[in-house]
């Protein structure tokens, strides 16, 4: 249940006309009163004898009783309360009781306080009500409305528990503005999957990802097909921007423009500029070169390495620096979704959209230290679209594997700070990344599995001994996993490349806990191949020579692993 305190107004009659009217897009159905300060209050929606003016005069009576000099400049208070889409449809009586609880909790009409403010609750849709109140009490005093929005949220949590509704996390004021009911109804009529506000938010986020300045940012917006208006000062300096979809028009046929700040708090031009200025002023981080060569696979390798460093910062660094890295992780997810192959793109897009909420909190990000992550996002965009096979596909799985750990670190960081909405968003993003990983990893891990099964028995036994020496506490678990053959092939590749496989495996296993991994062998494969700078695609590496054997030491049945057998980690 989502309560929202709207801006205060000057005209009671104007808000009543809206609440009882057809709505901006004819979305108001059967508007009527469900509760009010007085059980005899007129209801223009159901009583043909009642008028808007009659209700307005009754609501405004305490205000009009004051001398003009003592009246509030804006005396109209407005609260909407919306149920979650999956909640059952509540009755008028239930909505009326919820309205009484909200006006009591916010201070409009506290329980047992007869001289409270006058108010009325109007329902014009199944899933929400609007409460209008006038901000002068019957005794002429003003109501105490300190933190009315926070108190409405707290009461909503109690209502959810008592009515068996979906339990939502309390917000902290840093979320992007939700689409209005009018925007949702318009999108439904136009058969859009999402509202224009949501489409624009994603497009602008992707344009920001890794951008280094205004020209590149606005060029990306134009290339995405958006209409752009720039707001300039008399001096010619750019102050802000608005964007619109070409096919989203108002009733006069004009494009509907949204400013960056209306899309999300961190998409205003001043907030975006903070990223650019920090990139230019900070020279202390070991970020990749802006001219780093390579295509999609090289960019994904660098992304995996950079994500690992960012993970350590989030787990161990200063809060402001950690917040910056979490924010830039969102840019990396946007860039990866934009450039990945079709079979992973949908889940990566959902992961980026979910994680967007986790990128903002009241911990103000200290920009500059996150320069390497922003460069990784830029590299992904510059590297271009990746194929879903070969080195591109395999390094995509490698990058997603490490980004999963990065998002999980952000989840734990937010949870420790008590950021409930952000932690929930990170958890949702992690689930989408897990699904994307399964799609990306099925082919490359399957190829590695087949290579591992063709290794000679002496070599397989040597790799098993290496495993037991490097990670004795996990060795038997890994040997019993379907992915052991892929890990054995990777250990052989590591040795062939001139590395000490025991030392390297010990190092990568110690990088972070593995107990929560559903497939420890999967995680170790990607860590080893990244650390040893091995090709991620198994077919790019020649098979070590040696006699073949029909099965591994774990005694598994013949046959390669499926995508299901290579599921990522379960939390």
């Amino acid at each position: 249940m989502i309560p929202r305190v709207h801006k205060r107004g000057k005209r009671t009659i104007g808000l009543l006309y809206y609440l009882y009217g057809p709505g901006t897009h004819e979305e108001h159905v059967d508007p009527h009163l469900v509760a009010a300060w007085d059980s005899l209050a007129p209801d223009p929606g159901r009583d043909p004898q009642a008028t808007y003016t009659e209700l307005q005069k009754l609501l405004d009576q305490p205000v009009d009783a004051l001398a003009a000099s003592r009246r509030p400049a804006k005396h109209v208070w407005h609260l909407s309360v919306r149920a979650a889409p999956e909640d059952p449809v509540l009755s008028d009586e239930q909505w009326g009781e919820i309205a009484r609880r909200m006006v009591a909790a916010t201070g409009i009409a506290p329980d047992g306080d007869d001289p409270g403010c006058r108010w009325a609750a109007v329902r014009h849709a199944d899933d929400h009500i609007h409460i209008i109140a006038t901000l002068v009490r019957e005794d002429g005093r003003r109501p105490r409305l300190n933190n009315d929005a926070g108190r409405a949220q707290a009461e909503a949590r109690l209502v959810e528990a008592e009515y068996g509704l979906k339990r939502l996390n309390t917000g902290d004021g840093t979320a992007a503005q939700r689409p209005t009911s009018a925007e949702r109804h318009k999108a439904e009529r136009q058969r859009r999957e999402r509202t224009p506000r949501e489409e624009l938010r994603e497009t602008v986020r992707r344009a920001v990802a890794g951008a280094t300045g205004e020209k590149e940012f606005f060029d990306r917006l134009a290339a995405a097909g958006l209409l752009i208006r720039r707001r300039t000062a008399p001096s010619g300096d750019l102050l802000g921007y608005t964007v619109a979809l070409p096919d989203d028009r108002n009733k006069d046929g004009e494009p509907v423009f949204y400013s960056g700040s209306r899309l999300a708090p961190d998409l205003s031009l001043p907030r975006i500029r903070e990223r650019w200025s920090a990139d230019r002023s900070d020279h202390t981080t070991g970020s990749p070169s802006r001219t780093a060569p390579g295509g999609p696979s090289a960019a994904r390798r660098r992304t995996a390495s950079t994500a690992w460093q960012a993970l350590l910062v989030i787990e161990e660094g200063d809060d402001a620096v950690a917040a910056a890295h979490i924010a830039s992780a969102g840019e990396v997810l946007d860039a990866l979704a934009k450039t990945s192959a079709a079979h992973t793109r949908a889940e990566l897009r959902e992961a980026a959209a979910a994680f967007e909420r986790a990128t903002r909190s009241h911990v103000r990000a200290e920009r500059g230290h996150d320069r390497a992550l922003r460069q990784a996002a830029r590299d992904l965009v510059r590297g271009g679209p990746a194929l879903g096979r070969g080195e591109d596909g395999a390094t995509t799985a490698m990058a997603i594997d490490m980004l999963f750990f990065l998002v999980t670190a952000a989840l734990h960081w937010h949870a420790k700070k008590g950021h409930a909405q952000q932690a929930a968003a990170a958890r949702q993003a992690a689930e989408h990344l897990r699904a994307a990983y399964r799609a990306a990893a099925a082919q490359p891990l399957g190829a590695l599995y087949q290579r591992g099964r063709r290794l000679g028995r002496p070599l397989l036994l040597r790799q098993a001994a290496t495993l037991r020496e490097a990670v004795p506490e996990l060795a038997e678990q890994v040997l019993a996993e379907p992915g052991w053959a892929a890990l054995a092939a990777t250990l052989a590749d590591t040795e062939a490349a001139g590395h000490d496989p025991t030392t390297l495996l010990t190092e990568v296993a110690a990088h972070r806990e593995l107990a929560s991994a559903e497939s420890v062998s999967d995680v170790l494969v990607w860590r080893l191949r990244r650390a040893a700078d091995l090709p991620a695609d198994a077919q790019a590496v020649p098979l070590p020579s040696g006699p073949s054997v029909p099965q591994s030491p774990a005694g598994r049945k013949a046959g390669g692993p499926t995508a299901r057998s290579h599921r990522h980690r379960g939390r």
Side-chain angles (χ1 to χ4, degrees):
M1 180 160 286
I2 304 169
R4 180 187 174 197
V5 176
H6 300 258
K7 292 182 179 179
R8 297 182 185 180
K10 298 179 180 179
R11 298 180 65 246
T12 305
I13 192 69
L15 182 54
L16 288 176
Y17 274 127
Y18 168 74
L19 297 182
Y20 278 101
T24 309
H25 301 285
E26 305 291 336
E27 71 273 17
H28 295 179
V29 179
D30 186 25
H32 59 279
L33 214 62
V34 293
W37 84 100
D38 187 327
S39 61
L40 299 179
D43 180 8
R46 292 282 178 85
D47 183 356
Q49 304 302 318
T51 65
Y52 301 150
T53 302
E54 181 184 7
L55 180 55
Q56 172 260 317
K57 287 182 176 180
L58 288 171
L59 286 167
D60 280 345
Q61 197 171 69
V63 180
D64 295 337
L66 295 177
S69 60
R70 294 184 55 205
R71 296 172 189 170
K74 293 184 177 181
H75 70 277
V76 182
W77 183 86
H78 179 199
L79 173 75
S80 59
V81 187
R82 183 178 301 276
E86 54 268 52
D87 284 339
V89 176
L90 302 177
S91 66
D92 282 353
E93 291 73 20
Q94 289 172 314
W95 274 119
E97 178 57 28
I98 290 169
R100 282 183 279 271
R101 293 179 62 160
M102 286 294 171
V103 295
T106 55
I108 290 293
D111 287 335
D113 187 2
D114 292 337
C117 297
R118 295 189 176 187
W119 60 274
V122 178
R123 180 181 188 181
H124 54 215
D126 285 342
D127 63 347
H128 70 281
I129 59 170
H130 292 261
I131 302 174
I132 178 176
T134 49
L135 298 179
V136 175
R137 291 161 47 90
E138 299 279 9
D139 56 12
R141 295 186 293 124
R142 305 281 181 87
R144 295 180 179 179
L145 296 179
N146 295 335
N147 193 30
D148 52 348
R151 286 188 280 173
Q153 288 284 354
E155 190 64 26
R157 303 293 81 79
L158 297 176
V159 170
E160 290 163 357
E162 294 177 26
Y163 281 73
L165 306 178
K166 181 181 179 182
R167 306 290 289 274
L168 301 181
N169 293 310
T170 301
D172 60 2
T174 62
Q177 184 177 335
R178 294 174 179 271
T180 65
S181 58
E183 290 171 352
R184 287 197 305 275
H185 285 298
K186 181 179 178 181
E188 289 173 5
R189 289 198 309 275
Q190 296 177 344
R191 298 188 178 180
R192 295 178 183 268
E193 291 185 5
R194 297 178 297 167
T195 65
R197 181 193 297 275
E198 292 167 316
E199 289 187 37
L200 289 169
R201 182 183 302 139
E202 180 182 66
T203 304
V204 174
R205 275 200 342 259
R206 289 187 175 187
V208 172
T212 57
E214 289 176 8
K215 183 180 186 307
E216 183 177 8
F217 171 58
F218 286 114
D219 284 349
R220 289 183 181 183
L221 292 180
L226 300 190
L227 304 178
I228 308 164
R229 287 179 180 172
R230 294 171 172 84
R231 184 165 58 87
T232 57
S235 62
D237 293 335
L238 183 62
L239 299 178
Y241 72 98
T242 58
V243 288
L245 296 175
D247 60 345
D248 180 32
R249 305 273 170 164
N250 61 19
K251 58 183 171 60
D252 298 320
E254 299 171 340
V256 180
F257 282 86
Y258 294 80
S259 65
S261 59
R262 286 183 62 203
L263 298 177
D266 54 349
L267 294 182
S268 68
L269 188 59
R271 292 291 298 276
I272 294 174
R273 280 172 170 164
E274 290 178 8
R275 314 184 198 193
W276 298 331
S277 61
D279 285 347
R280 289 190 290 269
S281 63
D282 182 81
H283 301 287
T284 62
T285 59
S287 62
S289 165
R290 291 185 182 277
T291 58
S297 61
R300 279 154 173 72
R301 277 187 170 276
R302 289 192 293 272
T303 296
S305 297
T306 304
W308 169 248
Q309 297 300 323
L311 185 153
L312 297 177
V313 172
I314 292 172
E315 290 185 334
E316 304 170 7
D318 174 82
D319 282 351
V321 177
H325 280 74
I326 291 172
S328 289
E331 293 191 43
V332 175
L333 288 174
D334 278 319
L336 189 63
K338 182 178 180 179
T339 58
S340 285
H343 69 300
T344 57
R345 191 181 306 137
E347 290 292 350
L348 289 173
R349 177 177 169 180
E350 292 296 332
F355 194 71
E356 184 264 348
R357 179 65 188 96
T359 61
R360 291 185 304 275
S361 70
H362 283 302
V363 178
R364 187 64 181 267
E366 186 177 316
R367 291 290 187 173
H369 300 279
D370 58 332
R371 186 166 172 247
L373 268 179
R374 295 205 70 244
Q375 181 63 35
R378 180 171 173 78
D379 286 348
L380 287 169
V381 174
R382 288 175 60 206
L387 299 174
R389 58 186 184 277
E391 191 70 5
D392 283 4
T395 51
T396 296
M398 180 185 291
I400 295 172
D401 175 81
M402 189 52 69
L403 286 169
F404 181 96
F405 280 110
L406 180 60
V407 166
T408 302
L411 188 165
H412 294 156
W413 186 85
H414 279 306
K416 286 191 294 185
K417 301 295 176 188
H419 303 160
Q421 284 193 348
Q422 291 88 337
R427 183 176 293 105
Q428 184 180 2
E431 289 301 312
H432 287 296
L433 283 175
R434 182 167 59 183
Y437 171 82
R438 290 170 179 166
Q443 187 278 328
L445 283 178
L448 274 171
Y449 176 91
Q450 294 301 333
R451 289 184 69 249
R453 285 182 53 79
R454 292 196 298 271
L455 293 177
R457 183 173 180 79
L459 187 53
L460 271 171
L461 292 174
R462 191 163 79 245
Q463 305 311 345
T466 296
L467 179 69
R468 289 189 174 95
E469 183 178 353
V471 285
E473 70 284 0
L474 293 172
E476 298 310 315
Q477 174 186 339
V478 171
L479 287 170
E481 288 183 350
W484 156 241
L487 179 57
T490 296
L491 287 168
D493 293 342
T494 301
E495 186 175 16
H499 298 278
D500 179 351
T502 303
T503 301
L504 196 59
L505 181 58
T506 302
E507 290 176 357
V508 300
H511 277 180
R512 197 170 188 271
E513 59 85 19
L514 291 165
S516 60
E518 188 174 40
S519 176
V520 175
S521 51
D522 280 22
V523 178
L524 293 177
V525 161
W526 299 122
R527 289 186 186 179
L528 278 171
R529 302 195 81 82
R530 182 176 58 82
D533 198 25
L534 297 170
D537 179 18
Q539 298 180 13
V541 183
L543 183 70
S545 60
S548 62
V549 291
Q551 58 185 21
S552 73
R556 286 178 298 278
K557 295 180 180 179
T562 64
R564 179 179 297 275
S565 72
H566 279 299
R567 286 176 296 173
H568 206 38
R569 53 204 60 77
R571 297 296 196 278

